[in-house]
Amino acid sequence: MSESGSNGVKDRTTGQFRCLYCFTRVKPPRGAETFTCENCGYAWRIWWFSPTEPRIRGPVWDQHEKLSREKMKKQGD
Amino acid sequence: MALSRKIAYINLTTGEIRTETISKELRKQYIGGRGLDIYLLYRNTEKGVDPLGPGNAAIVSAGLLTGTLASASARTHVAAKSPLTGYVGSANIGGFFGPEMRLAGFDHLVITGKAEKPVYLYLTNDSIEIRPAEHLWGTDTRTVQQMIVDELGDDDVKTLCIGRAGENLVKYACIRTSIKNSAGRTGIGAVWGSKNLKAVAAKGTLDIKLHDPLMALEYNRKIIDQVTSAKVSKTMQKLGTPFIWGVTNSTGLVRTRNFQSNQLSDADDIEPESIEEDIVGTAGCFGCQVHCRGKYVIREGKYKGIYDEGPEYTSLGAFGAEVGCRSKTTVLTGNHLVNYYGLDNLETGSMMAWAMELFEKGILTREDTGGMDLTWGNDEAVIELIHKIANREGIGDILADAPLEAARRIGKDSLRYLVHVKGMSNLHSDERPTPALALNVAVSSRGSDHLRGRPAIDLYHLPEPFLRKVYSNPIPYDGPLTSDYRDYEGKPWQVLWQEHCYEAVDCLGICKYHTVFLGPNMPCFQEWPELIRVNTGLSFTPEEIWEVAERGYTLERLFNIREGLTRSEDTLSDRYFDEPVPEGLPVVRGRCIDREKFRLMLDEYYRLRGWDENGVPTPEKLKELGLDTI
Amino acid sequence: MEKVLVIDPEICTGCRICEQVCSVVNENVVNPYRARIKVMRWETQGVVVPMACQQCDTPMCREVCPVNALEKNPDTGVVTVNYDRCIGCRMCVAACPFGLMMYDFVDKKVIKCEQCQGDPQCVRFCDAGALRFEDKQKNGSAARKKQGKKLKAALSGRDQP
């Protein structure tokens, strides 16, 4: 999560964002409006800061609620 | 030199004004800004002084580097005994006033007494004039600034002022400058109002001499590059502080409907990306290249066409999640109105949210509210309540009081629903799943607060070795540290470290977005000695700056203890311990603060600070800091 | 090659770092009132406009100077003050239609932007890009491009001929 760089953007992480649930770095297709994390299955609405820089705008609400309930149930078992 | 600026003591009862130079020794001990601020407050107020009486001191302070070639050296600190909490009242403000006050020859103003009629102060080139302000009384914070500019015939005059909220002694009225800059917390605006002090205007043309101008220029360029290369700064330049909303609300860390939930779902209209669509440009404070202030025009509703700036992250909570509203127009209008009246947006939102929960529970009825329907998400009621609070009308008169006073006036079970620490309402972030952030809120020296010690980077899931590097500078730390924001381990040190970091920038007069607040690689203790040297010629080691911060923070504690603070108030509302968060990602869902673990964190925090188990600094610690004779 | 200081008020954030840096470079102190560049502000409307000498082709300051203290460099186009000749009459201040020939009341001399010997420091510190130092020939190209893009977007919505 290091943010420094000589001229700003770090090439290593360009085009990626971290899933807020599992913290895995994921790379959505350019211009995608939503993206589902390959690792944990959470779906995010994406906002493009620039054509190459995606940012999580917010959850895809209905999918989140459903998945969270399932996961909580599993934890409870 | 920047060091030649003076302290001015202004007695509004007698009209007497005297000035004093600041010794080098005092600089070494307190640096300036918030450090000297608390020093002056402690020495110029009596124990038990009435916050709204003539004995309270309203202090205005420039930081050591304010107005120099230190990046974002725009900050001014204000203080008084708080009418909200009865403890340290203290707030920080950007804009252009601080540098102008220094150009006029002053670093600190200590304003005591009470003017017979409304007045304002005019500072210019080593002189201070007390001018009548009866014609300015009753004006909003924008109009009064323009009237003073017109009256003095000088466009370059910069003004700190209060609005109607301050005049009406709303206990959380703020000090304002420019369009939106506000020293929001702890109700200093009411203190000014109680003194009949409408404004302090400044215009100066005295050189701020630098120790090594060319080195200062180059070092400034280096610091700016360090700050602006951080991803968080680029985000701030575009979205401002609302960007924090994306992470926190998505996770489930946003206080919603007072304290009933931790996430406002389906609120796309108030997401920062939606607000950004209405932002026509960004504005910066003096010398700042992060320029996080969005400029907007309200697009809809009764206030359509009005220009304002912001909104900050706090406004998204105050006029969004906390009150259950999902309308951008409400957020932008609410933000405008608190600026207009000079109200702390955070406290305003929290008080309204509390009132709405009381309405839901039947503790407040339509009879109490004058027929207003305070149901969650009632946009019109939220806007109307702001007017009522600022003007102390109807239910607004009760809500304009300090939270604990208001709870006493309402009675019944109302206190149970109040989310506060030391009598100051909490920010709209929900700290139940994040013990580090919860501890910060509980121990903050000015009551519930995030800008005194929030380890915000704790939310970033940073690797432990990296965290250790950050938190071992300049004082080595070999205790526990973890990347998991839900842990209790090592968090007391993180809070303490951040408290010193923020205290230091407040002493220097630099913005917190230029240090380790939202970005872990920002300038900090290692960079500040050179920054101080090239600008002022004073020499400090990183360890010495740390010690200044510790001294300042400890003196704030001593002030609070003098005014009656005990360990029992370094805590959270019961709801933090008793009500698990119902929504959000599974990492946070169902979490709340564990009472026993919280107690251990607090013990550890006191131990690290050299305070005894009751939270009182030990005689050894006071001696070490030279505070034993204060 | 003549280069000019190009200002873009729409981008300017109003932070005044240009004034700050200008006074340090020219006078070794921070004092915006001794800077050669000024940010004009209409805060209540959110409007800010940075202004500095545009090195006129026919500089009125030079025209009015009774002792020929103002010179326009034929190569760079920069108008400079020769302080050995200047008598401090301030007629140049009166003549400048933009108010960008100014009087420094501390050192008692007229001051104007002389472009920091070809490397304007205000430009170097304006990260927002509201100040640029460009070839005179290119002047206006950025604005043309910006507005041209809008036209292009409007036209691209139409059917191809």
Side-chain angles (χ1 to χ4, degrees):
Chain A
M1 189 93 180
S2 173
E3 289 173 335
S4 70
S6 56
N7 54 6
V9 184
K10 248 192 178 169
D11 295 342
R12 189 168 61 83
T13 58
T14 303
Q16 304 180 354
F17 67 80
R18 263 186 200 271
C19 171
L20 276 175
Y21 178 61
C22 68
F23 287 102
T24 309
R25 275 190 201 282
V26 292
K27 188 169 185 173
R30 259 188 180 220
E33 284 183 9
T34 59
F35 186 72
T36 303
C37 173
E38 296 110 338
N39 185 45
C40 67
Y42 271 89
W44 302 103
R45 282 175 294 123
I46 302 168
W47 188 68
W48 291 85
F49 190 85
S50 77
T52 56
E53 294 168 284
R55 223 185 96 77
I56 287 182
R57 175 173 179 152
V60 176
W61 290 109
D62 50 346
Q63 291 186 35
H64 263 243
E65 192 49 33
K66 194 166 152 274
L67 202 57
S68 292
R69 278 176 198 274
E70 280 170 22
K71 283 193 195 272
M72 290 305 285
K73 210 174 158 207
K74 231 183 221 170
Q75 276 179 24
D77 289 343
Chain B
M1 290 300 289
L3 300 177
S4 64
R5 271 39 180 177
K6 295 187 181 71
I7 303 173
Y9 295 86
I10 301 131
N11 185 326
L12 293 178
T13 307
T14 62
E16 185 200 357
I17 297 169
R18 68 184 171 87
T19 59
E20 203 173 74
T21 54
I22 304 167
S23 72
K24 223 170 189 174
E25 192 184 302
L26 213 50
R27 285 280 184 209
K28 285 293 278 186
Q29 284 178 325
Y30 293 97
I31 289 185
R34 180 174 148 199
L36 271 175
D37 216 272
I38 183 63
Y39 172 82
L40 291 168
L41 181 66
Y42 195 92
R43 290 170 62 100
N44 287 283
T45 51
E46 302 279 339
K47 177 183 176 178
V49 66
D50 174 7
L52 297 182
N56 200 0
I59 299 172
V60 180
S61 298
L64 174 64
L65 299 180
T66 299
T68 67
L69 264 184
S71 176
S73 61
R75 312 297 298 192
T76 311
H77 209 82
V78 297
K81 179 177 171 181
S82 167
L84 200 60
T85 62
Y87 298 130
V88 167
S90 168
N92 201 274
I93 183 168
F96 297 87
F97 179 83
E100 201 65 47
M101 178 166 80
R102 282 202 127 180
L103 289 165
F106 299 97
D107 264 3
H108 301 272
L109 311 175
V110 181
I111 306 164
T112 54
K114 179 184 176 175
E116 207 174 307
K117 288 175 179 168
V119 294
Y120 76 98
L121 303 180
Y122 178 43
L123 323 174
T124 182
N125 293 2
D126 285 331
S127 88
I128 297 178
E129 189 187 345
I130 302 175
R131 297 175 63 99
E134 282 165 275
H135 59 301
L136 305 173
W137 206 251
T139 53
D140 66 87
T141 64
R142 194 182 292 191
T143 304
V144 64
Q145 294 182 59
Q146 189 59 50
M147 283 174 79
I148 288 174
V149 160
D150 293 345
E151 175 172 317
L152 297 171
D154 191 334
D155 287 340
D156 293 324
V157 169
K158 303 293 175 207
T159 303
L160 288 184
C161 65
I162 59 169
R164 295 234 284 278
E167 296 172 10
N168 292 334
L169 308 183
V170 175
K171 296 290 172 62
Y172 42 92
C174 63
I175 305 290
R176 301 252 302 100
T177 187
S178 301
I179 295 297
K180 78 146 281 253
N181 297 100
S182 310
R185 304 295 270 150
T186 68
I188 314 270
V191 175
W192 283 34
S194 75
K195 295 188 175 306
N196 271 332
L197 177 65
K198 178 70 179 176
V200 177
K203 155 74 195 260
T205 55
L206 303 175
D207 291 339
I208 297 175
K209 293 197 176 80
L210 306 180
H211 174 69
D212 189 339
L214 290 180
M215 281 300 290
L217 192 73
E218 293 314 309
Y219 203 66
N220 191 23
R221 187 62 258 177
K222 183 174 168 281
I223 294 281
I224 292 172
D225 288 340
Q226 185 178 352
V227 169
T228 56
S229 64
K231 200 170 160 189
V232 65
S233 299
K234 292 183 193 306
T235 311
M236 291 272 278
Q237 286 168 343
K238 194 142 183 154
L239 297 173
T241 55
F243 92 89
I244 305 165
W245 180 267
V247 182
T248 52
N249 194 44
S250 298
T251 306
L253 297 172
V254 165
R255 189 145 87 79
T256 304
R257 292 186 296 280
N258 200 22
F259 209 56
Q260 301 189 8
S261 180
N262 54 315
Q263 189 172 56
L264 187 71
S265 57
D266 299 308
D268 302 8
D269 196 38
I270 62 167
E271 282 168 355
E273 293 81 359
S274 164
I275 287 167
E276 199 268 340
E277 290 165 13
D278 284 12
I279 298 292
V280 294
T282 55
C285 299
F286 190 77
C288 178
Q289 301 306 292
V290 174
H291 50 86
C292 63
R293 272 188 277 142
K295 307 202 276 195
Y296 70 86
V297 175
I298 299 171
R299 296 263 181 96
E300 285 171 356
K302 202 175 151 192
Y303 297 85
K304 186 177 170 178
I306 289 181
Y307 171 79
D308 214 304
E309 292 171 2
E312 301 289 337
Y313 174 59
T314 41
S315 285
L316 296 190
F319 314 116
E322 279 184 275
V323 289
C325 288
R326 293 179 164 82
S327 151
K328 173 160 65 178
T329 302
T330 301
V331 167
L332 296 182
T333 305
N335 187 68
H336 164 67
L337 290 175
V338 291
N339 286 346
Y340 177 90
Y341 284 124
L343 283 166
D344 174 15
N345 64 349
L346 199 162
E347 198 71 37
T348 307
S350 291
M351 290 301 275
M352 294 195 298
W354 175 56
M356 285 171 131
E357 188 164 7
L358 297 182
F359 191 78
E360 183 188 72
K361 298 288 187 288
I363 296 173
L364 282 179
T365 63
R366 270 180 196 267
E367 208 175 303
D368 301 311
T369 64
M372 278 174 83
D373 172 21
L374 296 189
T375 46
W376 301 116
N378 184 346
D379 298 282
E380 265 178 44
V382 164
I383 297 303
E384 200 183 330
L385 260 186
I386 300 173
H387 290 294
K388 286 197 182 305
I389 290 171
N391 294 307
R392 279 190 173 268
E393 288 165 3
I395 184 74
D397 183 51
I398 293 175
L399 298 178
D401 272 339
L404 293 173
E405 284 174 88
R408 266 193 298 274
R409 285 177 73 180
I410 295 170
K412 296 177 194 163
D413 215 5
S414 61
L415 187 59
R416 198 181 131 199
Y417 300 98
L418 188 69
V419 182
H420 77 101
V421 175
K422 301 179 179 72
M424 185 151 102
S425 295
N426 292 24
L427 171 71
H428 71 269
S429 60
D430 194 325
E431 297 91 356
R432 280 176 285 185
T434 54
L437 277 58
L439 180 66
N440 149 237
V441 167
V443 298
S444 153
S445 60
R446 64 170 175 182
S448 176
D449 186 54
H450 59 294
L451 292 172
R452 294 256 140 163
R454 171 154 293 190
I457 60 172
D458 200 45
L459 299 177
Y460 293 2
H461 211 73
L462 297 165
E464 192 255 81
F466 181 79
L467 273 181
R468 192 165 297 283
K469 206 176 122 216
V470 173
Y471 287 118
S472 293
N473 167 15
I475 303 298
Y477 173 73
D478 55 9
L481 272 179
T482 86
S483 302
D484 192 336
Y485 57 67
R486 300 171 302 171
D487 275 353
Y488 292 76
E489 289 276 281
K491 305 304 179 188
W493 175 257
Q494 284 177 262
V495 170
L496 186 157
W497 188 93
Q498 297 281 177
E499 284 174 342
H500 286 185
C501 171
Y502 299 162
E503 168 89 40
V505 283
D506 287 344
C507 290
L508 294 172
I510 295 174
C511 180
K512 291 189 183 64
Y513 303 142
H514 291 241
T515 189
V516 183
F517 176 18
L518 300 171
N521 290 309
M522 293 288 197
C524 205
F525 293 99
Q526 292 308 320
E527 285 83 359
W528 292 331
E530 181 66 358
L531 196 62
I532 295 172
R533 192 190 69 78
V534 293
N535 280 292
T536 69
L538 292 177
S539 69
F540 280 92
T541 63
E543 293 78 9
E544 282 171 334
I545 300 173
W546 173 273
E547 197 185 293
V548 169
E550 185 173 14
R551 182 174 296 116
Y553 208 89
T554 306
L555 189 51
E556 289 177 355
R557 183 73 179 183
L558 291 181
F559 182 93
N560 286 346
I561 290 171
R562 187 186 88 179
E563 301 301 324
L565 183 80
T566 61
R567 175 181 173 131
S568 64
E569 289 188 77
D570 285 341
T571 191
L572 302 155
S573 298
D574 283 339
R575 301 178 84 172
Y576 273 83
F577 305 109
D578 301 336
E579 298 177 22
V581 299
E583 290 178 84
L585 294 170
V587 278
V588 303
R589 198 173 283 218
R591 295 209 157 241
C592 60
I593 299 293
D594 181 291
R595 225 177 259 276
E596 179 57 15
K597 286 178 182 165
F598 177 82
R599 190 183 65 77
L600 293 172
M601 273 204 303
L602 189 60
D603 284 343
E604 172 71 358
Y605 172 82
Y606 286 169
R607 193 186 62 77
L608 290 167
R609 277 219 164 280
W611 298 354
D612 68 18
E613 69 275 20
N614 296 315
V616 179
T618 58
E620 298 79 52
K621 181 49 93 178
L622 293 182
K623 194 149 193 239
E624 180 193 319
L625 295 170
L627 290 173
D628 47 337
T629 53
I630 188 102
Chain C
M1 178 71 75
E2 280 193 46
K3 290 180 96 174
V4 288
L5 202 66
V6 180
I7 58 168
D8 190 337
E10 275 190 40
I11 299 176
C12 179
T13 67
C15 78
R16 301 170 71 194
I17 198 168
C18 49
E19 297 178 4
Q20 200 184 4
V21 161
C22 180
S23 60
V24 169
V25 170
N26 287 293
E27 307 295 345
N28 277 326
V29 297
V30 176
N31 190 344
Y33 304 102
R34 299 178 71 192
R36 278 74 173 148
I37 186 165
K38 299 280 177 195
V39 183
M40 303 307 294
R41 315 168 66 82
W42 289 266
E43 273 196 8
T44 52
Q45 292 144 60
V47 177
V48 283
V49 181
M51 293 178 78
C53 172
Q54 290 297 302
Q55 323 294 343
C56 304
D57 289 341
T58 307
M60 297 310 284
C61 52
R62 184 189 63 182
E63 300 298 299
V64 78
C65 182
V67 292
N68 292 327
L70 285 147
E71 296 152 6
K72 186 171 170 73
N73 184 305
D75 297 326
T76 63
V78 178
V79 178
T80 52
V81 185
N82 182 336
Y83 289 108
D84 291 336
R85 288 195 196 148
C86 177
I87 56 171
C89 70
R90 300 186 304 283
M91 286 309 284
C92 51
V93 176
C96 176
F98 293 97
L100 293 168
M101 172 64 83
M102 291 167 284
Y103 186 69
D104 174 356
F105 39 81
V106 176
D107 279 358
K108 299 199 173 15
K109 64 181 184 194
V110 292
I111 53 171
K112 71 178 292 300
C113 170
E114 299 185 358
Q115 295 184 345
C116 299
Q117 287 86 45
D119 183 17
Q121 294 299 296
C122 53
V123 174
R124 183 180 167 221
F125 278 83
C126 183
D127 288 16
L131 299 172
R132 295 189 300 275
F133 193 48
E134 290 181 347
D135 291 348
K136 201 172 180 180
Q137 291 163 345
K138 276 177 72 181
N139 202 358
S141 66
R144 281 195 298 279
K145 197 168 180 183
K146 195 165 147 190
Q147 295 307 320
K149 257 187 180 169
K150 283 188 192 165
L151 185 63
K152 177 173 165 274
L155 292 174
S156 64
R158 293 186 192 165
D159 292 336
Q160 293 299 317

